[in-house]
Amino acid sequence: MPIRELSQFLTEADIEGLRRSTETATGLPGSVYTDEDFWMLERRSYFPSRWMACAHEHDLANPGDAVPVRVAGFELILTRDSDNKIRAFHNICAHRSMPVLQDRQSAVSTIRCPWHCWTYNLRGQLVATPNLGGIHVGELEAFDRSELGLREVNCDSFLNLVFVNIDGKAPPLREFLAPLQRRLYDYDLDVLRASGQSTGVVFEGNWKLVIEGGVEDYHLPWVHPQLGPHSGMFTPEWDDTDCYVGFSSQRPADDEPVSITGNPRQATAALPVFPHMATPTQDGLGPPGLILMVPPSAVFALMSNHVVTTLLIPLSVDRTEQRRSFMYLGDAASSSELAPARQAICDSWVAVGDQDLDLASALQRQHRLRTETDIPTRFSPHWEPAVHHFQNMVVNHLIAQSAESGDQLSS
């Protein structure tokens, strides 16, 4: 069945409503969150052309590690070879398309298709085809192994996340993430160490709904009451190249018994902080928390004493996997004395995530209903400019891709 075009989901009126100021704009129609056909359009025209985070670097901690991963409907293999480089390949055997890797493997030099035993090294090269030409005949002149390796996918890493670009046409990851790196200039990222803490959950909601819920603080007092009432400062943030979108926020330094992430301040006071946050500010506010999304699947949350790198893996039109990994400054990542502080940090993030689970499934359900009833959505001009901008980011990218395919929709 042909994939429907963007103009079949978004009218000129939809675009005009989205392009207005946040105070008067209307949001994307519900079908972009619920329609299987729109998911297929994203799989053709959005996901492949973006850099997508699909794993944490510590998922492949050692040479000889190989893991299967799924992201946005694509099945991949990640490997770390003896040169310590992480590589990505489509998990499709060059013989008859069987998935080559079913489960994580460690301390290996090759991976083997379970159907007919075609064997590949960790650089994707085909190295063995047992009995290809008959019993004990493993090679044939018509089969050039150098042309039958696993199909490689562009792959690179940043701040504990492994990214892939499916169509191979995106700029290098460092170039793409340059705006993010400039935003994080004050943070000494080199001192960060992975703690081994990780959490995972699946939201029964579209990936865009999960991102939208993560770039505004409007809902906090009611959905996450442990974080306290609205206070301090909230600043939506994004760059001019549609690399990232998110926000920064600050709470009063002395008035709040809990930190910006909800853990008791006293429980985590011994954790070291980033040097540029060690000096109290003059405005009575505590150090800022910064949450930046790199759609569709990477989230960087930088707090004064820890960093959380999160994968938001689109699984289907209505399911999104979230996997977090926690990093701390230097020895704080492994110190036994600071284990209770690390646990307090992790517990606070888990509590917030658990509270979001029912919200995601309810939103998914209601977006289906509002599609049927043609009810538009609106934005808070104070709290939700980043939500508004994110929706425009998605549309901008799809319009650009649609123009390449000949589908005309005004920008």
Side-chain angles (χ1 to χ4, degrees), residues 39 100 125 153 212 237 310:
W39 164 258
V100 174
Q125 298 163 327
V153 176
E212 289 175 14
E237 298 196 20
T310 301

Side-chain angles (χ1 to χ4, degrees), residues 162-349:
V162 179
F163 289 80
V164 292
N165 170 231
I166 299 294
D167 72 3
K169 298 178 181 178
L173 182 64
R174 300 291 163 168
E175 179 181 331
F176 171 71
L177 292 180
L180 176 67
Q181 292 176 291
R182 287 192 293 269
R183 177 60 183 88
L184 303 182
Y185 178 80
D186 290 334
Y187 293 83
D188 187 0
L189 303 179
D190 291 337
V191 304
L192 290 170
R193 302 288 182 269
S195 66
Q197 291 174 301
S198 61
T199 67
V201 70
V202 173
F203 291 98
E204 302 297 329
N206 183 265
W207 68 276
K208 295 183 292 296
L209 292 178
V210 179
I211 286 184
E212 289 175 14
V215 295
E216 51 96 348
D217 268 4
Y218 193 10
H219 67 285
L220 261 58
W222 305 288
V223 179
H224 310 299
Q226 74 274 19
L227 301 183
H230 288 139
S231 61
M233 294 182 62
F234 174 84
T235 307
E237 298 196 20
W238 54 80
D239 72 294
D240 294 332
T241 69
D242 285 351
C243 170
Y244 70 82
V245 60
F247 68 89
S248 57
S249 63
Q250 290 177 271
R251 297 287 186 88
D254 300 320
D255 297 342
E256 301 288 345
V258 299
S259 76
I260 200 169
T261 57
N263 54 272
R265 289 187 187 275
Q266 186 174 1
T268 59
L271 287 170
V273 302
F274 283 105
H276 74 286
M277 295 186 184
T279 303
T281 61
Q282 301 299 314
D283 53 13
L285 296 176
L290 181 63
I291 296 181
L292 300 177
M293 311 273 186
V294 179
S297 56
V299 187
F300 299 98
L302 296 98
M303 306 298 150
S304 62
N305 55 16
H306 69 284
V307 169
V308 185
T309 54
T310 301
L311 298 166
L312 290 179
I313 303 293
L315 297 177
S316 66
V317 68
D318 56 6
R319 299 182 78 238
T320 306
E321 181 183 10
Q322 179 196 76
R323 289 195 284 133
R324 293 192 182 106
S325 177
F326 294 78
M327 307 178 76
Y328 300 87
L329 282 70
D331 293 339
S334 57
S335 166
S336 58
E337 294 180 358
L338 294 176
R342 293 194 300 271
Q343 191 60 50
I345 294 284
C346 185
D347 290 346
S348 66
W349 282 92

